Amino acid sequence: MRRTKPTGGTLVLSQISAIWNSASKEVRFIGKTLPIAGGALLTAGIIFDLTHFWGEFSFLVNMTSSVAAACFGVPFVLLFLGWLTRKESDAADRRLATAISIQFAVDFESSTLAVAKPGVPATVRSDMELLCRDFEASMKRSMRLLTNANAFSNPDGSARNRDTERYKTDRDTQTHAWQCETGSNGISEVASILRDLANETEIQNRLIKSAIQPMGRKERANWIMRVRYQWEALERNARPRLAVCGYPWISTPEVIVHALGTLDEVAGKRWEFKEFRLFHNKGEMNFTHILNSARVNNAANVDRIAWIKAATALCTEAGSARSHFEGLS
């Protein structure tokens, strides 16, 4: 069914109706009674003019005409000027609500970005997302390598045979070739796996250092506490004001709540990598030591990637919240 486009007269009437309906009961009562009284005085004044009743009563004429004019003017003032005043007051409330929301959103965004290296917010969020992606990819590679290395170990974590336990570099050529003292089969493969595990640990270390501020357990706990405080301040101060003004709240608050919960779960856990050296005792490599260290790191990676993802989500959602509130102004 085709909708009819409203005409100018229809729009004016609908606007007047909206103004009338927005007035209080008392104002509507005055708006009904005073024009009737004004109409009665106007009619009487015309009749008295025609019958020459007024005569020399000039003061009474002026008084009657003034009262009649007031009966028409007062409802206009109460209805239309009152409506304009309320409209301006509502606009001022909306401006105040958006300004407060933007300020608290900026504070919330600043507190979330404190986890990362200083920079432009958009660049920081991009670096965090890149860190999250690259770290997860490195973690998956470590998991595969660890699975392969486990094939050469006993249930207690030790090397399956003595030949696998120790090997060293080729000191003569000073290359990265790996040779076993006995030349047993499979040693080159084990050495390559352990070397790659060590490399992945270095990659993960560099990734974190490139994008995230160095934080211990106490610093992480303090950062999460600041972020939670700013989020609660944003909800407490901005959300009720926006609701009164009819403005929508941010679309994904549950993402922020979930990220904060995840950070609380893993913040107190071990964050630092378990450092291990490939070579010990004059260039020899210890299979059990390296493999156990890799196992510890890979087990902790589950918490690390959860922490990185939650921190990245917070940074992203904080920027989206600020943009949302800026779009309301």
Side-chain angles (χ1 to χ4, degrees):
M1 184 177 179
R2 180 178 296 178
R3 299 180 61 181
T4 304
K5 186 177 181 180
T7 61
T10 303
L11 292 175
V12 171
L13 290 176
S14 63
Q15 185 64 49
I16 293 175
S17 176
I19 295 173
W20 176 262
N21 293 329
S22 66
S24 64
K25 185 188 301 183
E26 293 78 7
V27 172
R28 287 200 297 268
F29 175 76
I30 293 173
K32 292 176 182 178
T33 55
L34 285 186
I36 294 175
L41 289 174
L42 179 62
T43 303
I46 293 173
I47 293 174
F48 292 156
D49 273 344
L50 295 176
T51 59
H52 304 286
F53 172 79
W54 297 114
E56 299 297 328
F57 303 108
S58 58
F59 177 78
L60 183 60
V61 172
N62 291 333
M63 179 65 70
T64 305
S65 61
S66 298
V67 172
C71 289
F72 291 108
V74 169
F76 173 82
V77 171
L78 292 177
L79 284 171
F80 290 93
L81 295 185
W83 171 75
L84 289 175
T85 302
R86 290 193 302 273
K87 186 175 180 180
E88 179 58 31
S89 176
D90 292 341
D93 290 341
R94 287 194 294 271
R95 289 193 295 269
L96 179 61
T98 54
I100 290 176
S101 301
I102 291 172
Q103 182 58 55
F104 278 101
V106 168
D107 293 341
F108 176 53
E109 182 183 30
S110 298
S111 64
T112 60
L113 294 178
V115 70
K117 294 294 181 68
V120 179
T123 303
V124 171
R125 284 191 289 271
S126 176
D127 290 344
M128 290 288 289
E129 292 171 358
L130 187 64
L131 164 67
C132 188
R133 187 192 67 191
D134 292 346
F135 192 92
E136 192 168 25
S138 177
M139 184 182 74
K140 291 178 180 178
R141 291 194 297 268
S142 295
M143 293 293 187
R144 288 195 297 269
L145 290 167
L146 189 59
T147 300
N148 295 335
N150 284 333
F152 296 92
S153 66
N154 294 316
D156 62 356
S158 61
R160 183 164 294 176
N161 56 64
R162 187 181 65 81
D163 293 336
T164 306
E165 178 70 28
R166 301 167 70 121
Y167 37 86
K168 60 183 179 179
T169 57
D170 186 347
R171 291 179 177 274
D172 297 331
T173 61
Q174 294 297 314
T175 65
H176 293 290
W178 302 80
Q179 296 179 344
C180 175
E181 291 178 335
T182 61
S184 175
N185 293 332
I187 296 305
S188 297
E189 182 179 356
V190 174
S192 176
I193 291 172
L194 296 184
R195 177 196 59 192
D196 291 341
L197 275 172
N199 289 340
E200 290 301 330
T201 298
E202 291 301 319
I203 289 173
Q204 293 156 10
N205 237 336
R206 287 197 303 270
L207 286 173
I208 290 178
K209 290 179 179 179
S210 66
I212 293 181
Q213 292 279 23
M215 288 185 176
R217 293 184 185 181
K218 185 176 180 180
E219 288 81 3
R220 289 199 300 274
N222 290 336
W223 172 70
I224 295 171
M225 184 172 63
R226 290 196 304 272
V227 171
R228 185 179 293 278
Y229 172 79
Q230 293 295 346
W231 167 244
E232 291 174 351
L234 177 62
E235 275 204 311
R236 183 174 60 252
N237 292 281
R239 192 167 191 171
R241 295 176 183 270
L242 293 175
V244 169
C245 296
Y247 283 145
W249 188 236
I250 58 178
S251 58
T252 55
E254 65 279 359
V255 175
I256 297 175
V257 175
H258 181 266
L260 287 171
T262 301
L263 289 173
D264 282 335
E265 290 179 6
V266 301
K269 296 185 179 181
R270 181 182 165 276
W271 172 256
E272 294 77 13
F273 285 94
K274 185 175 178 61
E275 298 290 347
F276 58 89
R277 295 166 54 195
L278 282 176
F279 299 101
H280 298 272
N281 301 328
K282 298 181 180 180
E284 295 176 350
M285 183 184 293
N286 187 290
F287 173 89
T288 304
H289 168 74
I290 296 175
L291 187 58
N292 287 339
S293 298
R295 284 169 177 161
V296 171
N297 284 338
N298 279 270
N301 270 339
V302 176
D303 292 329
R304 293 190 190 101
I305 193 63
W307 197 90
I308 293 171
K309 284 183 175 180
T312 303
L314 271 181
C315 294
T316 302
E317 290 300 318
S320 299
R322 178 183 53 78
S323 299
H324 170 72
F325 296 138
E326 288 176 345
L328 299 178
S329 59

